[in-house]
Structure formats: C-alpha cells, structure tokens
Amino acid sequence: MTGSKDLLLRLEALEAKALKLALAHKELSVSYKELQSENLRLKNQILLKEEEVRNFHNQEKISKIVTSIADDTYRKTELKLKINEYIKEIDKCIAFIKE
C-alpha cells in the first residue's frame, strides 16, 4: 500500500507541474503575440518617420534650389508656395497609392 500511495503522490505532483507548465506556456504565448504586435507597430512607426525625414530632406533641397534661383523676395516666396503645393499634392498621391 505504501508503494501505491507514494506513486499516487508522485503522479499528483507531476500533474500539478504539468498544469503549471501549461499555464506558463499560455502566458508566454500571449506575451509573445503582444510583443509581435508591438514590434510590427514600431516598425510601421519607423517607416513613417523615415518617410517624414525623406520629405524634410526633399523640402530642404527644394528650398535651397529656390533660394539659388529666385532673385527678388516676391518671386522667391511665390516659387516656394507653388513648390510646397506640388509637394503636398505628391504626398497625397503617395498616401493614396499606399492605401
């Protein structure tokens, strides 16, 4: 009888460990999925920031071109405004294409 009690206790302990392991696995799976989701969100955020930086660099280059081309203040301002309009339209087109 003592052997069967000992065996029963060992089986119960093994069952408790298996349940604990299954719970830990479930918690880790949920955490993993959350981390994957956050990782994807951060990657998308990085892509958006990189695009913003590229747009900024393009605007900076255009401003330098405008500054070197335009002689008087009126023409320079007019040219900058027109180029900014074109940039906004191009950005809208890019956003539309991405959708």
Side-chain angles (χ1 to χ4, degrees), residues 13-60:
L14 183 59
E15 183 181 11
K17 287 180 181 180
L19 289 173
K20 187 177 179 181
L21 183 60
L23 179 62
H25 178 267
K26 186 175 181 179
E27 289 173 354
L28 288 173
S29 292
V30 169
S31 177
Y32 177 72
K33 286 180 182 179
E34 289 173 354
L35 289 172
Q36 279 184 318
S37 177
E38 182 181 6
N39 187 24
L40 182 60
R41 181 184 60 79
L42 291 171
K43 283 181 179 180
N44 287 332
Q45 194 174 8
I46 287 172
L47 289 174
L48 289 173
K49 294 297 179 188
E50 287 174 345
E51 186 175 337
E52 286 177 14
V53 168
R54 277 193 305 277
N55 288 338
F56 176 76
H57 285 301
N58 287 339
Q59 287 178 347
E60 184 181 8

